[in-house]
Amino acid sequence: DSGVTQTPKHLITATGQRVTLRCSPRSGDLSVYWYQQSLDQGLQFLIQYYNGEERAKGNILERFSAQQFPDLHSELNLSSLELGDSALYFCASSVKSLAPDTQYFGPGTRLTVL
Amino acid sequence: QKEVEQDPGPLSVPEGAIVSLNCTYSNSAFQYFMWYRQYSRKGPELLMYTYSSGNKEDGRFTAQVDKSSKYISLFIRDSQPSDSATYLCAIPNTGGFKTIFGAGTRLFVKA
């Protein structure tokens, strides 16, 4: 158990809908990262927050947004969902904001868009 | 050219075999190199990390870095069925915010 929690574990929804994925980092970790993992794309970095502020953006679509709250939990919002958004979404946390730093991954949320 | 390249496999070996997993990278400024292991339906977990060139050993696992060739390897000795997982190389963009992950190699160790 990494200490990072993600909810829900599974999410099934329809195209065009909006969903929110939630992540609670390990106690003491200030950085939260979001990743998307699909079979053909591998682990793709989406976005990083550090202590409430956005620090880095990766391949995140405009339909996706995230935030980190004062209690350090984070939410990833996915809107206007498409079939291609079906994937595993991982949250990871670390102590620091700069690389290199060990990232601890949560168990993931499996999103299925029908 | 991708910053980090990794053969996705799958790689199937008999129990007890020596396994070699590899990645190549393009940026000669990279200094830290990590290996994550991901079991099916789980999140990745850090297995080992190394700094600069050379070898690092941890039990049955050895991480090797050849900066001149921009080539990193993970060796697993006496492989076990419990080693069956996906292994991802990961390279932190030192001084930046991003860690770049390889595509991951799926390993199957047959009993």
Side-chain angles (χ1 to χ4, degrees):
Chain A
D1 184 357
S2 67
V4 178
T5 60
Q6 287 187 250
T7 56
K9 284 188 178 178
H10 302 280
L11 203 47
I12 300 175
T13 188
T15 55
Q17 295 297 305
R18 172 189 168 95
V19 297
T20 297
L21 313 183
R22 182 188 168 102
C23 167
S24 292
R26 291 189 326 154
S27 177
D29 284 359
L30 299 178
S31 267
V32 169
Y33 309 78
W34 286 98
Y35 292 88
Q36 179 192 59
Q37 187 177 47
S38 56
L39 281 176
D40 58 345
Q41 292 289 321
L43 199 63
Q44 299 290 312
F45 168 70
L46 295 177
I47 198 164
Q48 179 204 2
Y49 278 82
Y50 177 79
N51 204 20
E53 292 187 7
E54 182 185 306
R55 282 299 172 96
K57 262 187 174 179
N59 303 322
I60 188 165
L61 299 171
E62 284 192 14
R63 300 183 286 109
F64 296 0
S65 64
Q67 55 183 328
Q68 187 180 27
F69 294 87
D71 67 353
L72 301 179
H73 91 271
S74 178
E75 292 181 354
L76 179 67
N77 300 295
L78 316 175
S79 61
S80 303
L81 285 167
E82 302 175 359
L83 295 178
D85 297 327
S86 296
L88 267 169
Y89 290 83
F90 286 105
C91 165
S93 73
S94 70
V95 173
K96 301 188 294 184
S97 68
L98 293 177
D101 196 18
T102 301
Q103 295 182 30
Y104 296 87
F105 283 78
T109 292
R110 182 173 294 277
L111 173 66
T112 302
V113 182
L114 301 175
Chain B
Q1 183 188 9
K2 286 187 178 179
E3 289 182 283
V4 177
E5 302 258 17
Q6 184 176 14
D7 186 341
L11 181 62
S12 184
V13 301
E15 183 176 357
I18 297 174
V19 176
S20 172
L21 304 165
N22 311 293
C23 287
T24 58
Y25 62 94
S26 58
N27 189 339
S28 58
F30 291 151
Q31 296 185 66
Y32 285 86
F33 306 92
M34 298 173 161
W35 285 95
Y36 280 78
R37 177 175 61 194
Q38 184 178 17
Y39 289 114
S40 181
R41 302 180 189 280
K42 301 281 188 183
E45 57 178 345
L46 181 66
L47 193 58
M48 294 183 71
Y49 77 90
T50 55
Y51 174 72
S52 194
S53 284
N55 292 0
K56 183 175 182 178
E57 194 172 311
D58 185 1
R60 297 184 295 110
F61 298 87
T62 299
Q64 187 174 80
V65 176
D66 181 350
K67 292 196 76 180
S68 62
S69 303
K70 300 194 193 73
Y71 194 83
I72 61 175
S73 302
L74 178 70
F75 298 97
I76 307 175
R77 290 186 302 279
D78 186 25
S79 57
Q80 303 294 309
S82 59
D83 295 327
S84 297
T86 297
Y87 291 81
L88 303 102
C89 59
I91 304 180
N93 188 3
T94 306
F97 302 101
K98 203 168 73 165
T99 294
I100 306 159
F101 284 84
T105 300
R106 293 194 69 190
L107 172 67
F108 296 95
V109 181
K110 299 171 294 186

